[in-house]
Amino acid sequence: MSRSRWILLICLLLAVAACGGDDDTGDTDDRGAGSDNPLIGATWEWQETVGGDEVVAPDDPARYTLAFNADGTASIQADCNQVVASYSIDESLLTIELGPSTMAACAEGSLSDPYLTMLSAATTYVMEGDDLVISLFGDAGTMRLSP
């Protein structure tokens, strides 16, 4: 996918994420869910995102991490920035809502913004071996993260 197509995809995902409301229907979710939640207890490093024929992968996965906390919050490192997020899980459905962030200007070539956009477009997840695979809204692709 060309750079302009990735930018268009990111803009589309941001627009969709901005349209999301606070859907408090009273249903419970598995926020936290303790030791039976395979997402908690690991720091996940972004390995790649596959969308169509294109693969986007960071040069240094350790600079793009995601850690789920038992209280429904998540800690994200997006290259030179730190982000606090909230998440909810309902069976295999996954929602990540970005919160406060540092606003450092990362070096040219950083994937900070696309990484955060992709995380905010999470819809479902599965475990494939030790890897966490997150599907993105609108069949935009899948992210693969490893502990």
Side-chain angles (χ1 to χ4, degrees):
M1 205 177 290
S2 69
R3 181 170 170 80
S4 61
R5 291 182 80 187
W6 272 108
I7 291 171
L8 180 61
L9 174 64
I10 290 168
C11 290
L12 174 64
L13 292 173
L14 284 172
V16 170
C19 291
D22 195 19
D23 186 34
D24 189 7
T25 60
D27 294 345
T28 60
D29 61 25
D30 293 332
R31 194 178 309 246
S35 62
D36 60 339
N37 184 333
L39 305 183
I40 296 173
T43 297
W44 301 96
E45 295 183 356
W46 179 39
Q47 303 301 311
E48 66 181 10
T49 297
V50 177
D53 295 342
E54 297 298 316
V55 176
V56 177
D59 290 334
D60 183 1
R63 296 189 59 81
Y64 299 89
T65 64
L66 172 62
F68 295 95
N69 304 312
D71 65 357
T73 62
S75 303
I76 300 169
Q77 178 181 343
D79 195 2
C80 66
N81 286 298
Q82 300 293 320
V83 181
V84 176
S86 61
Y87 73 94
S88 62
I89 296 172
D90 186 2
E91 295 184 14
S92 66
L93 300 177
L94 172 64
T95 303
I96 300 172
E97 187 173 326
L98 302 179
S101 169
T102 58
M103 301 296 288
C106 299
E108 185 175 330
S110 172
L111 297 174
S112 177
D113 290 341
Y115 175 63
L116 293 172
T117 299
M118 290 176 214
L119 287 176
S120 69
T123 57
T124 61
Y125 79 96
V126 296
M127 299 301 300
E128 290 185 359
D130 290 335
D131 289 352
L132 168 61
V133 178
I134 299 174
S135 295
L136 304 178
F137 179 81
D139 296 326
T142 56
M143 299 179 76
R144 180 172 297 276
L145 298 96
S146 297

